[in-house]
Amino acid sequence: ISPPPASPAASHRPVMGHFQLASESLLGTPEVIEDNSGDALLFRQGSFGGFAAFGSPDLVHVTKQNKSVTGTITEKGYYHFIRGIDLSSAASISAYVARLVNANMSSTANSMAGTWYLTSITIRAYNAFSKLDVVASAKLPGGMTVHAVTPTGDEQEMTPALWQETYVSGVARALSAAGEAPLYPCLKTFPPMPHSDDEARFVEAALALVNKWPAVQSPGEAARTELGPVGAAGSAMASLLTKYFQKYSRYEQAVQFFYEKLDQDMQELGYIAALALKDIDRLDRARQIIDKLLRKFPNSCRVVMTSALIAMAEDDVDRALTEGFRACDMPTADNTTRTCTALLCVQEKQFSEAIKLLNDCDLEPPPLDHFLRKLISKSRRITSSVPTGSSGSDSTDAIRVLAKRCKEERTNPSSGFDEMLAELPARLMAESERDIYAVLVEILNIVGWDELLSIRGSSFVMESDAQAQSDLQDDDDQDEDEGSTPTKGGSGGNGKEGISQKSAQVEGISRLSVAEDAMDGAAGSSKAPAGKKEAPSNEKDDDADGEDAAATEEDTPASEAETPAAEAEVEAAAKTASKPRPRRFGAKKLCKPWLDFLVTNMYEDLRTMAVWLAEDDQMTQKHSSETENAPPVVLTAQDVLNDTRRSAVDWLRRGDLASRLKRTDRAMLAYEVCIKLSEKSKIPCVAAWVSLCDLYSRHGMVEEAIIATDYVWSFMDANCDTGSSERHARYTLPVPPVEEAIYRLVSQFGLKKVRSVLNSDLSVAKPRLFSLLLDAVESQTFGFSR
């Protein structure tokens, strides 16, 4: 697969003069220069067996020869990554190779640097269904050969079925934003569905492979499926398609693909259509579809869970909770099912049930990208990309530039910053952790921090307490003659190392509820996460970050909780559908370490929020009027700008903090302050504008959302290679945050409303945004006809 190591004789091979380059750098394509030619291909071969569900971006490996002015010939290896090209056939792959070659051929060379020649191009693309890598190799001059290779190195001939799988895998990679987090070097992206009929082509090809959907999963997910079968309805492909139609407001198309045009043997996927109808408040039709599916698939976890969500939208609380719990008890129940049911419990103030459901989630650490780790360790030099100008290329580096810029703004500030904000552990949560954290925040915003700890303490036995109780029991058996029997319900006064009574000095944390606008009560000393007797600690003494937490013992040892729990689960399984709120647990279970970690993350977030609230209180007092009965002061971004001594990156991180804690007003304020500070320093702050695109559009702020999207697009035009299409011929292709915000506005208010706001006296690039509205009409985004 990889080229053989260079030999002394190889350096004297004749140069292939038909493919001369203007310089070492390719047009519009930065590349990583390898230390040893072929390393990237070797790393790819050894790593792609452990790829995530849809794999990493496609690897393009290029070999070039240089003939110096003295006649010495050297060969080097280069590579970059691409995403979104058509992988449906050898001809479509060779089309990219031809564009790459033709765009860089030149009869003029730099005499000082010698003459560069293109000698070979190899493309490797992952087939997520069959776990193969498709290898296309072109020797120049010469033809291109294509074959598939297994993780063990065995070659396979490409068949029409493998081509179809590879095509669907390539589009799925683009829709799942593969290669952006973590960011792959030198990533170029293409629109995965550039034409209006490409969506239908992709969905139909994906549905033709529906029997293979369960195979699309990472190695960690594959290990977990041994506990229960995963069908097409609960697969990663089904989740990806659901998110795609929701993200781009294509609800009516979802109904067409997953209900009206669906074959009989795929009817279970009709729950995607029912979810789409629920999202646009067409509850009657959604109920008709889901009831029909319930009769046909009574044991489908996703169908039952969708019925529960529709029932909640219909205000049928009893049915919603009953079906939600029933879905969670099924063998195919996954984290999405349990998280959705937990949210239903939160809405009905059943917080203990909600937190127990979260504890039932099977949350594994995110898998490491071994391929990227090997590449980064060898990535030392990158070529300077030659700008394409208005070359008509349909590729763009905008996504890579945007992802890199946002990452740098959050992690590499150019001025002073607050270490407390920079080191918040919640900033590094994976997507699955963020989903569960969001449910915990919903509980927090209703009951407050102390009550959340109390609920946790009454629901679980902490790992440290269970271990300490076991140690105490062992000591009791050994030291019975010394009267060392532990006292039930003790709070750590026995002197054992397994439980330590600790406290932290935090301003206002004990009474802090982020559902309020200010701290409740005077600032003072309070306890860390386990400040109440009912709330055992969530940290041990040997924490790496040194945070302290109090701990208490539980009355029931973990060993005694097994029998009642088993009996309770039998009772819960025997309950009929007419009983709306079944009790699923008869005794305390052990709190899983990852849930304990998320609670600790929340404590750190609240501790930092308390400092912010204290600063706001001082600013409010400064701006408040001494007149009695004066209206309360509402701080604006300009007020904060005049008084703050913090840097822009601190306010950017505060915006992220407020977003995690669902404090939308505070998040908007923080991002706006960050932008004003950046403008004052004449430094662009794109990350704040990207976040505001999402917040403004979700909360129906049309004018503000249009301004935010225009700023992001202007930054892309100024800093990216200009990819073009028929409609976007003079500027960069719109990045996903811009598309999602505009389409969301169209779906909420209709095209006429958005167009009328855009036609007002807004100081934005109107032709550019009007072109995106035309895209919404062509793709028939929901709301385009009103």
Side-chain angles (χ1 to χ4, degrees):
I1 303 306
S2 60
S7 62
S11 61
H12 299 288
R13 288 178 300 178
V15 178
M16 301 173 183
H18 296 293
F19 295 91
Q20 181 176 321
L21 303 175
S23 67
E24 179 184 14
S25 302
L26 297 182
L27 185 67
T29 307
E31 299 174 289
V32 178
I33 306 174
E34 293 181 304
D35 291 337
N36 299 304
S37 183
D39 276 351
L41 294 172
L42 289 173
F43 295 156
R44 174 90 177 195
Q45 177 60 37
S47 304
F48 80 85
F51 277 173
F54 299 107
S56 70
D58 308 328
L59 171 67
V60 181
H61 185 271
V62 178
T63 305
K64 304 173 191 175
Q65 286 185 352
N66 174 259
K67 182 178 181 181
S68 67
V69 292
T70 62
T72 304
I73 299 174
T74 58
E75 185 172 278
K76 291 184 180 180
Y78 306 76
Y79 66 85
H80 63 276
F81 291 93
I82 55 175
R83 195 187 72 193
I85 68 167
D86 187 354
L87 298 173
S88 59
S89 65
S92 60
I93 296 179
S94 64
Y96 174 76
V97 174
R99 288 200 302 268
L100 190 66
V101 172
N102 293 333
N104 290 278
M105 287 181 61
S106 173
S107 59
T108 304
N110 187 335
S111 59
M112 296 298 296
T115 307
W116 288 91
Y117 298 92
L118 197 60
T119 60
S120 69
I121 299 177
T122 301
I123 298 178
R124 296 192 62 146
Y126 183 61
N127 181 332
F129 295 90
S130 297
K131 310 300 181 188
L132 303 170
D133 235 13
V134 177
V135 183
S137 300
K139 300 295 183 181
L140 305 177
M144 187 179 72
T145 60
V146 184
H147 64 273
V149 62
T150 66
T152 58
D154 298 327
E155 294 185 6
Q156 294 185 13
E157 183 180 353
M158 292 297 294
T159 64
L162 288 179
W163 278 120
Q164 186 177 37
E165 293 174 6
T166 307
Y167 162 70
V168 174
S169 300
V171 178
R173 266 194 299 280
L175 297 182
S176 63
E180 295 182 34
L183 181 62
Y184 271 63
C186 302
L187 175 67
K188 290 184 62 178
T189 61
F190 295 76
M193 295 180 284
H195 306 105
S196 57
D197 58 345
D198 286 341
E199 180 182 84
R201 177 192 176 197
F202 164 64
V203 175
E204 291 170 0
L207 290 175
L209 300 171
V210 68
N211 293 330
K212 294 189 175 183
W213 284 15
V216 182
Q217 53 190 348
S218 64
E221 293 170 339
R224 290 196 296 274
T225 56
E226 296 177 0
L227 302 176
V230 175
S235 65
M237 273 299 301
S239 298
L240 176 72
L241 290 170
T242 303
K243 292 178 181 178
Y244 163 73
F245 286 106
Q246 289 176 340
K247 182 182 294 186
Y248 292 96
S249 304
R250 301 185 54 71
Y251 304 108
E252 294 175 336
Q253 288 79 2
V255 176
Q256 293 175 6
F257 286 123
F258 294 100
Y259 184 70
E260 297 174 358
K261 299 180 180 180
L262 207 60
D263 294 338
Q264 290 297 321
D265 57 345
M266 307 176 190
Q267 289 297 315
E268 187 179 359
L269 295 174
Y271 81 90
I272 299 177
L275 281 175
L277 290 168
K278 179 190 77 70
D279 290 340
I280 56 178
D281 293 328
R282 297 181 183 175
L283 299 179
D284 291 341
R285 192 178 179 199
R287 173 52 63 189
Q288 291 175 1
I289 292 175
I290 206 64
D291 284 347
K292 181 179 178 180
L293 295 177
L294 281 172
R295 289 191 294 270
K296 191 171 184 178
F297 305 100
N299 297 319
S300 170
C301 175
R302 287 301 173 93
V303 171
V304 175
M305 190 65 245
T306 302
S307 179
L309 295 175
I310 295 173
M312 182 59 74
E314 296 170 330
D315 294 328
D316 190 349
V317 178
D318 290 349
R319 178 172 184 175
L321 290 177
T322 299
E323 291 182 329
F325 285 128
R326 186 160 74 89
C328 291
D329 288 331
M330 293 180 176
T332 55
D334 56 7
N335 292 349
T336 301
T337 302
R338 296 186 179 95
T339 303
C340 290
T341 305
L343 280 172
L344 298 180
C345 292
V346 171
Q347 294 179 33
E348 290 305 306
K349 308 296 191 293
Q350 296 188 24
F351 305 118
S352 181
E353 294 292 332
I355 202 169
K356 289 174 182 176
L357 284 168
L358 296 181
N359 194 61
D360 272 356
C361 291
D362 188 8
L363 200 65
E364 297 291 335
L368 293 177
D369 192 332
H370 297 288
F371 176 47
L372 183 60
R373 288 168 66 90
K374 291 177 181 178
L375 288 179
I376 291 176
S377 65
K378 297 291 185 180
S379 299
R380 296 290 186 270
R381 299 168 296 161
I382 297 179
T383 61
S384 300
S385 170
V386 179
T388 60
S390 55
S391 65
S393 171
D394 55 352
S395 66
T396 176
D397 60 351
I399 290 179
R400 174 178 55 82
V401 171
L402 180 62
K404 183 178 180 181
R405 176 73 186 190
C406 291
K407 178 182 177 182
E408 289 175 348
E409 288 180 4
R410 286 184 165 91
T411 59
N412 300 322
S414 58
S415 57
F417 60 91
D418 185 346
E419 291 187 2
M420 179 184 292
L421 282 164
E423 297 175 1
L424 288 175
R427 294 172 56 243
L428 304 177
M429 290 188 298
E431 182 179 2
S432 55
E433 292 173 322
R434 290 195 296 268
D435 293 340
I436 295 176
Y437 187 86
V439 181
L440 293 175
V441 169
E442 292 286 352
I443 300 174
L444 172 74
N445 289 340
I446 296 174
V447 304
W449 173 246
D450 280 351
E451 185 61 25
L452 174 61
L453 289 182
S454 179
I455 293 169
R456 188 190 65 161
S458 62
S459 303
F460 302 120
V461 175
M462 307 309 295
E463 186 178 32
S464 57
D465 295 338
Q467 181 62 41
Q469 186 74 296
S470 177
D471 293 343
L472 290 175
Q473 187 63 41
D474 293 341
D475 291 343
D476 181 30
D477 295 338
Q478 296 174 5
D479 304 330
E480 186 175 0
D481 56 334
E482 299 179 8
S484 59
T485 303
T487 303
K488 270 192 173 185
S491 58
N494 48 36
K496 297 295 175 185
E497 294 182 2
I499 299 180
S500 62
Q501 191 73 20
K502 300 184 273 184
S503 63
Q505 303 297 321
V506 181
E507 290 288 331
I509 190 66
S510 179
R511 292 180 296 276
L512 178 62
S513 171
V514 295
E516 302 171 0
D517 289 332
M519 288 183 295
D520 181 13
S525 173
S526 65
K527 296 182 180 180
K532 289 192 173 187
K533 180 179 178 180
E534 296 83 5
S537 76
N538 57 359
E539 293 292 330
K540 296 183 180 180
D541 288 338
D542 57 352
D543 285 342
D545 58 359
E547 283 302 325
D548 293 339
T552 60
E553 290 182 276
E554 298 295 334
D555 293 340
T556 306
S559 60
E560 298 178 6
E562 295 176 359
T563 302
E567 294 175 356
E569 298 218 359
V570 172
E571 293 176 3
K575 288 183 179 295
T576 62
S578 61
K579 296 183 180 180
R581 295 178 177 84
R583 286 293 302 175
R584 306 182 68 253
F585 304 94
K588 292 183 179 180
K589 286 189 173 183
L590 185 66
C591 182
K592 292 183 178 178
W594 59 259
L595 182 60
D596 199 11
F597 173 71
L598 293 183
V599 175
T600 303
N601 288 356
M602 180 175 288
Y603 168 70
E604 295 295 335
D605 279 353
L606 289 176
R607 190 166 72 113
T608 308
M609 176 65 77
V611 176
W612 184 0
L613 293 175
E615 290 181 9
D616 275 7
D617 189 51
Q618 294 177 357
M619 289 185 186
T620 302
Q621 293 178 4
K622 178 179 178 180
H623 290 276
S624 62
S625 173
E626 297 180 359
T627 307
E628 294 184 3
N629 301 323
V633 175
V634 179
L635 294 175
T636 64
Q638 188 61 44
D639 294 333
V640 177
L641 179 67
N642 295 334
D643 295 339
T644 187
R645 295 182 179 179
R646 291 183 173 272
S647 62
V649 69
D650 282 349
W651 285 103
L652 176 61
R653 290 167 177 167
R654 279 187 168 182
D656 296 341
L657 168 65
S659 295
R660 284 197 301 272
L661 296 176
K662 299 188 183 298
R663 297 297 304 275
T664 303
D665 292 340
R666 286 193 168 276
M668 291 181 182
L669 176 67
Y671 290 135
E672 290 166 1
V673 173
C674 172
I675 290 169
K676 289 183 177 294
L677 286 170
S678 299
E679 291 175 349
K680 192 175 180 180
S681 304
K682 298 183 179 180
I683 300 175
C685 185
V686 186
W689 281 111
V690 170
S691 298
L692 286 175
C693 283
D694 182 70
L695 290 175
Y696 287 155
S697 62
R698 289 185 184 279
H699 292 83
M701 303 170 69
V702 181
E703 183 174 324
E704 292 83 353
I706 290 176
I707 294 173
T709 56
D710 180 72
Y711 183 93
V712 174
W713 209 340
S714 296
F715 178 85
M716 295 293 101
D717 278 352
N719 294 274
C720 301
D721 229 4
T722 305
S724 65
S725 64
E726 294 180 1
R727 183 167 294 122
H728 308 285
R730 293 174 295 173
Y731 29 80
T732 307
L733 294 171
V735 291
V738 171
E739 289 182 308
E740 293 167 22
I742 296 298
Y743 292 164
R744 189 180 294 121
L745 292 176
V746 172
S747 69
Q748 289 178 354
F749 301 100
L751 181 66
K752 292 181 181 178
K753 168 70 173 179
V754 178
R755 187 167 52 193
S756 65
V757 174
L758 187 55
N759 274 324
S760 63
D761 57 352
L762 291 180
S763 179
V764 296
K766 294 182 181 180
R768 184 172 56 192
L769 290 168
F770 273 125
S771 70
L772 190 53
L773 293 182
L774 291 176
D775 287 347
V777 173
E778 182 178 357
S779 61
Q780 297 187 358
T781 299
F782 181 73
F784 82 98
S785 60
R786 56 184 171 88

